[in-house]
Amino acid sequence: MFKPREEYSYLMDDLITIEKPVSYNQEVTKYIRKANGKPILFNNVILENGVKSMFPVISNLAGSRELVAKYLGVKPEQLSRKLLWAYQNPKRADISSNNDYKELEIDLNKLPIMIHYPGEAGRYITSGIVFAYDEEYGLNASYHRMLLISNNKVVARILPRHLHTYISRGVKKIAIGIGNTPEVLVASAMTPPIDVSEMDIANALKPIKLIELDGVYSAPSEIILIGEFTGERHPEGPFVDVTGTYDIIRDEPVIKITKIYHRENAFYHDILPADKEHKLLMGYSKTPSILNELMKVGVDVKDVYLTPGGSSWLHCIIKIRKNDSDDPIKAINAAFKGHKSLKMVIVVDEDIDIYDWESVEWAIATRVQPDRDVYIFKNMKGSSLDPSADQITRKTSKWGIDATIPDPNRIRDFLRVV
Ligand code: MN
């Protein structure tokens, strides 16, 4: 019977264990969806030709705010501030002097890499964090979905962000970490400036020791693939992304896997696209950079929420204490800067519950005059995942809604009578 190591003990109270055989081909999807953010362990994943996976599979390692908060030893409502603090106070992560990694023959077919939805291009690694090192910028960590194209090659979706820059500066060899504790999972999804290592943010959240294998660095992941960019490109997609819609096919870089390592008693981490864990990691991890930009422009921000209806990615609600009539528009602009994929920002006062859409809609209904309070921004760079935008150039229009009380002399007229 599989038992995760000590650092994963935060999962145990809620862990759902599935002993019966479950197919890698879309069958896991049903179970993970039903788990509704609770950690779920599959002890018998069945691969092609009825072969049993040598690794058990866990999903929802970071399936909810509550779970991540529990791991970090804070209350769920303190988590945003904790993440912001680590984002603003990265601490250099040391490299471990020893490790227990074992080498495995190179055959990616033997890893429990899943097909999640009908119509997808094939088997996708969804939890893989790419670790790349640059002499000047340091260690970068970022998620890239990877489509299996042979037993030793994957094609990775790489947007023009940090890893893209590293590659253009000559980085070829990388580590891909699969199966990580929440500080690594959450920090790798953040977007600090290029010369700040996501692993130093992880280390500020909870101390970690990095691993050095074959001259590249990684987090202490369960499974570490060593890979090299071959310079080839290969069609990637369709893939169901966080919006729950199919992302388009593009030619993307090919990575040849040169080594496969795993820890003693390792498991494989699968993230179900468009489900709870995906949304939490992708969206919630952006709250520190949004909060940080708001604070930089002097807005007294109380909270930020990327709403589930906006796929926890495209829409955000910001609660502020309005000290100046310019604060809402400042907040809207700063939020777009803190999370480039945002499409709509709604700014509300302190009396609004941003986690309750009805409360937010009430603020819009009673405090907004559209010709005065709705801002439209044209020709912006947005998300490649929004089917209504140009998914190649990422050109989109955006909007901001100032749903704060418009007149400081008439506040009483706008308060809900209880
Ligand atoms: Mn980075």
Side-chain angles (χ1 to χ4, degrees):
M1 169 75 192
F2 174 76
K3 196 176 172 299
R5 269 189 312 282
E6 181 58 30
E7 58 264 42
Y8 292 98
S9 58
Y10 74 100
L11 298 172
M12 296 322 271
D13 288 345
D14 302 308
L15 189 68
I16 300 162
T17 303
I18 307 294
E19 291 294 345
K20 67 176 170 191
V22 177
S23 169
Y24 79 103
N25 190 353
Q26 300 175 59
E27 201 181 357
V28 289
T29 302
K30 290 181 246 170
Y31 288 88
I32 300 171
R33 178 138 299 169
K34 214 173 134 199
N36 198 24
K38 283 213 166 87
I40 180 164
L41 162 69
F42 298 92
N43 271 323
N44 288 290
V45 170
I46 306 300
L47 305 176
E48 272 170 312
N49 306 319
V51 178
K52 185 189 157 183
S53 165
M54 68 178 285
F55 297 112
V57 174
I58 304 185
S59 191
N60 290 332
L61 292 174
S64 67
R65 227 157 48 110
E66 288 70 21
L67 202 57
V68 174
K70 184 177 178 186
Y71 175 81
L72 294 173
V74 296
K75 293 198 178 85
E77 56 273 21
Q78 297 170 323
L79 190 57
S80 298
R81 293 281 153 181
K82 173 94 181 170
L83 298 187
L84 175 66
W85 180 85
Y87 181 92
Q88 292 175 331
N89 297 281
K91 199 171 142 213
R92 179 50 48 92
D94 288 334
I95 294 153
S96 177
S97 50
N98 56 356
N99 68 62
D100 65 350
Y101 284 86
K102 289 187 170 50
E103 211 181 322
L104 205 68
E105 69 162 314
I106 299 170
D107 185 358
L108 294 172
N109 290 316
K110 289 189 175 161
L111 295 182
I113 302 170
M114 311 292 181
I115 299 175
H116 298 96
Y117 294 104
E120 284 193 321
R123 296 171 72 183
Y124 266 101
I125 300 173
T126 50
S127 70
I129 299 170
V130 173
F131 297 92
Y133 186 79
D134 178 274
E135 285 290 340
E136 189 188 338
Y137 293 146
L139 184 64
N140 192 70
S142 49
Y143 288 88
H144 301 274
R145 68 186 190 228
M146 293 171 209
L147 170 65
L148 196 60
I149 54 172
S150 80
N151 71 345
N152 69 345
K153 278 183 182 171
V154 294
V155 51
R157 168 76 174 134
I158 299 173
L159 281 134
R161 295 197 190 118
H162 295 168
L163 179 60
H164 190 267
T165 304
Y166 276 45
I167 297 167
S168 68
R169 286 163 61 95
V171 168
K172 271 203 165 66
K173 194 169 173 183
I174 50 152
I176 301 161
I178 299 170
N180 290 286
T181 38
E183 75 283 42
V184 172
L185 292 172
V186 170
S188 300
M190 291 185 190
T191 42
I194 195 160
D195 58 353
V196 175
S197 177
E198 290 79 6
M199 287 307 96
D200 295 347
I201 296 173
N203 189 47
L205 282 170
K206 197 162 185 170
I208 56 160
K209 284 251 202 279
L210 299 174
I211 300 296
E212 186 179 357
L213 284 169
D214 293 331
V216 290
Y217 303 107
S218 168
S221 314
E222 295 294 300
I223 298 168
I224 297 176
L225 313 177
I226 308 295
E228 277 173 22
F229 289 100
T230 65
E232 304 158 90
R233 295 177 88 82
H234 188 280
E236 187 281 317
F239 174 82
V240 175
D241 214 309
V242 76
T243 45
T245 54
Y246 290 105
D247 197 3
I248 60 172
I249 302 172
R250 304 176 186 85
D251 279 339
E252 293 289 323
V254 171
I255 302 169
K256 183 182 171 192
I257 304 303
T258 55
K259 291 273 174 65
I260 300 179
Y261 292 102
H262 68 94
R263 294 184 71 166
E264 193 80 60
N265 203 24
F267 65 85
Y268 177 93
H269 178 205
D270 183 57
I271 296 174
L272 175 61
D275 200 50
K276 297 270 156 117
E277 184 174 35
H278 188 194
K279 289 182 174 174
L280 181 123
L281 286 173
M282 229 169 129
Y284 192 62
S285 301
K286 292 291 180 266
T287 56
S289 52
I290 297 172
L291 287 168
N292 192 51
E293 291 298 331
L294 284 153
M295 289 162 82
K296 268 203 225 165
V297 295
V299 173
D300 189 358
V301 57
K302 297 300 173 193
D303 204 359
V304 167
Y305 183 46
L306 286 126
T307 54
S311 301
S312 303
W313 190 243
L314 299 173
H315 291 174
C316 126
I317 301 168
I318 298 172
K319 184 196 281 213
I320 66 166
R321 173 171 293 172
K322 187 157 94 171
N323 297 315
D324 192 278
S325 59
D326 283 349
D327 283 349
I329 186 63
K330 274 192 195 165
I332 291 165
N333 284 315
F336 287 139
K337 208 170 162 202
H339 175 30
K340 305 271 192 300
S341 292
L342 271 187
K343 185 165 142 189
M344 179 175 75
V345 177
I346 302 172
V347 184
V348 296
D349 294 298
E350 282 180 278
D351 61 327
I352 302 301
D353 178 1
I354 62 174
Y355 297 95
D356 175 7
W357 178 252
E358 201 174 316
S359 176
V360 174
E361 191 184 355
W362 177 79
I364 295 171
T366 60
R367 296 175 185 182
V368 172
Q369 279 297 299
D371 62 339
R372 178 192 62 200
D373 300 318
V374 178
Y375 300 85
I376 308 274
F377 306 85
K378 287 181 181 169
N379 284 323
M380 302 275 280
K381 267 254 156 83
S383 172
S384 63
L385 302 176
D386 173 6
S388 77
D390 186 324
Q391 289 184 270
I392 306 283
T393 63
R394 295 192 287 142
K395 205 175 254 185
T396 185
S397 59
K398 304 194 177 193
W399 47 332
I401 300 175
D402 173 4
T404 60
I405 294 174
D407 185 350
N409 301 314
R410 286 178 52 220
I411 286 179
R412 220 178 142 262
D413 298 345
F414 291 94
L415 294 180
R416 195 190 282 272
V417 178
V418 284

